[in-house]
Amino acid sequence: MRRTVFNEDHEAFRETLRAFIEAEVVPVYDEWFTQGIVPREFYYKLAELGLFGINVPEEFGGAGIESHKFEAIQYEETARAGVTFGGSGVHVLLALPYIKMLATDEQKKRYLPKFVSAEEMWAIAMTEPGTGSDLAGMKTTARLSEDGTHYVLNGAKTFITGGVHADKVIVCARTSAPKEDDRRFGISLFAVDTKSEGYSVGRKLDKLGLRTSDTAELAFVDVKVPVEDLLGEENKGFYYLGHNLASERWGIAFGAYAQAKAAVRFAKQYVQDRTVFGKPVAHFQNTKFELAACQAEVDAAEAVADRATEALDAGELTPAEAASAKLFCTEVAHRVIDRCLQLHGGYGYMNEYPIARLYADNRVNRIYGGTSEIMKTIIAKDMGL
């Protein structure tokens, strides 16, 4: 099946990235996995490779490329190698769109050069201990000081990917009470310096998967945030969040497809090498049928992921289309990875095999960025149901 989403420049980037992963990540990944975190210094290597500046305007030190296709290749290549880059994906896929969309020229001059160089790593803090999909119910507050020079931030956040290493965090907080007819009103976004007094990082959360990603709890006690670090207009944060959800869900969809594709690769290699009853597992009809069925599902997910990528780059990916892509690709990945693990037998349950890590990493795809149930609600609403 001929693929048209990538051109020669993308494939050249793929070769460079694949060589980088083999040289800089694969040899030390087991150590990262055991420690449960990627070393902060590694992000400087990603910056030197240019990964943080691809979508940043040239005037701020980036390449000025308005495309998500290079990110897509990163999903494919990290999955192919059975590794991750820790929490760095949040830096580019989640935080950068808000900076580009909402920051003033003055803010961009302060934020983006350090963003590109990895001098400042960014994360975004939305979820709270009692607030997941219902973001309008958040309790964290930011009150403007009497002299109008700063906001006073109080509250707590959880499940914050990149929260341990972050130097700047986009924090969502209530600046006004919700309206009777609009409970989404009153949320604002702030670029908060993690070195601020009263800002603290709680425990690094012990997750089922994504072990190298530094996911943490955050707490804010009378944290002073200069008014110059308000992103966009006050009280409109919820609408900004909704605007960027399509790209976030595209990333989850594409990443899930890439994981499913990698799972088939791992299983194919394993069954060709593993001998049972005197012959390779790959010679059994059931093995062939299982992998063939998995490959067919991956082909379909690839088509959906590629179509969503083209639509996103064209600025035409709707919330319902993004939800559909996320729902389909994550459900396909769930089925495919499970079947590929089964073909590994008992070894598939061992963390030394990439299929086991992939199985655990993949599970969250149907939860974060909006659960599969939320995706179905969005799609149904778009259908007029």
Side-chain angles (χ1 to χ4, degrees):
M1 195 174 296
R2 185 170 178 270
R3 202 174 183 197
T4 59
V5 69
F6 299 123
N7 61 29
E8 292 182 0
D9 290 339
H10 297 126
E11 295 305 332
F13 172 75
R14 185 191 301 279
E15 291 181 13
T16 299
L17 182 61
R18 186 174 294 181
F20 172 84
I21 291 172
E22 288 297 324
E24 301 289 344
V25 182
V26 172
V28 294
Y29 193 72
D30 286 346
E31 181 180 341
W32 294 357
F33 184 84
T34 300
Q35 294 176 346
I37 196 168
V38 167
R40 176 63 174 83
E41 296 73 23
F42 174 67
Y43 294 144
Y44 292 112
K45 294 183 178 181
L46 294 181
E48 290 173 6
L49 196 62
L51 299 192
F52 295 157
I54 293 172
N55 301 124
V56 173
E58 292 183 45
E59 61 186 295
F60 303 114
I65 298 173
E66 291 295 332
S67 173
H68 288 78
K69 293 181 180 180
F70 292 95
E71 293 171 44
I73 290 171
Q74 291 178 55
Y75 283 121
E76 290 186 333
E77 291 304 309
T78 51
R80 178 184 183 276
V83 303
T84 74
F85 287 165
S88 66
V90 170
H91 183 66
V92 175
L93 183 63
L94 299 190
L96 183 57
Y98 289 101
I99 300 173
K100 291 174 65 177
M101 178 176 70
L102 302 176
T104 63
D105 288 341
E106 184 275 332
Q107 287 174 323
K108 288 177 181 177
K109 290 177 182 176
R110 284 194 288 125
Y111 300 153
L112 288 177
K114 293 180 181 180
F115 179 101
V116 172
S117 68
E119 183 178 344
E120 289 183 347
M121 293 298 295
W122 287 65
I124 184 165
M126 292 185 277
T127 304
E128 297 182 359
T131 305
S133 297
D134 182 21
L135 289 176
M138 68 177 62
K139 305 298 184 184
T140 297
T141 61
R143 304 301 183 198
L144 188 63
S145 63
E146 292 185 3
D147 61 8
T149 62
H150 62 273
Y151 290 85
V152 180
L153 182 67
N154 283 282
K157 299 289 182 179
T158 193
F159 305 149
I160 308 308
T161 303
V164 174
H165 283 323
D167 303 288
K168 293 277 191 182
V169 177
I170 298 174
V171 177
C172 312
R174 279 214 163 273
T175 43
S176 297
K179 296 180 179 179
E180 283 189 17
D181 61 342
D182 186 5
R183 59 193 295 269
R184 300 175 178 182
F185 174 83
I187 294 172
S188 301
L189 307 184
F190 300 91
V192 180
D193 190 325
T194 62
K195 296 185 292 296
S196 302
E197 185 177 352
Y199 181 106
S200 61
V201 178
R203 63 193 178 107
K204 181 172 74 66
L205 299 175
D206 184 17
K207 306 185 299 298
L208 169 67
L210 299 177
R211 303 287 297 182
T212 63
S213 173
D214 54 314
T215 303
E217 296 174 327
L218 306 179
F220 322 111
V221 179
D222 294 334
V223 176
K224 293 182 178 180
V225 183
V227 293
E228 292 82 8
D229 286 322
L230 170 69
L231 287 172
E233 294 183 42
E234 195 178 81
N235 299 323
K236 292 187 177 181
F238 194 96
Y239 307 100
Y240 299 145
L241 295 173
H243 183 275
N244 284 333
L245 275 175
S247 62
E248 178 182 351
R249 288 168 179 163
W250 163 82
I252 297 170
F254 204 99
Y257 140 71
Q259 289 176 324
K261 183 177 181 178
V264 172
R265 176 174 179 265
F266 296 145
K268 181 181 176 182
Q269 290 176 334
Y270 180 83
V271 299
Q272 288 175 329
D273 294 338
R274 174 72 167 165
T275 300
V276 176
F277 303 123
K279 58 183 178 180
V281 176
H283 285 198
F284 292 94
Q285 186 183 63
N286 180 69
T287 303
K288 296 176 182 179
F289 281 6
E290 282 293 287
L291 283 177
C294 287
Q295 183 61 54
E297 289 217 74
V298 168
D299 286 344
E302 181 179 88
V304 170
D306 285 355
R307 185 181 68 176
T309 302
E310 296 285 21
L312 182 63
D313 274 7
E316 299 172 354
L317 185 65
T318 68
E321 290 169 343
S324 178
K326 180 182 184 295
L327 177 65
F328 183 78
C329 291
T330 57
E331 294 292 341
V332 164
H334 162 65
R335 293 191 296 269
V336 167
I337 295 170
D338 183 74
R339 293 167 83 173
C340 288
L341 186 150
Q342 187 74 15
L343 289 173
H344 282 71
Y347 289 104
Y349 207 65
M350 301 296 111
N351 273 327
E352 64 185 278
Y353 282 80
I355 192 67
R357 300 179 184 183
L358 198 57
Y359 183 86
D361 289 352
N362 174 261
R363 185 58 185 88
V364 76
N365 288 334
R366 291 181 289 148
I367 298 174
Y368 67 2
T371 63
S372 291
E373 291 72 25
I374 293 294
M375 298 303 100
K376 292 174 184 177
T377 301
I378 294 169
I379 297 165
K381 185 176 180 180
D382 186 67
M383 294 170 65
L385 299 174

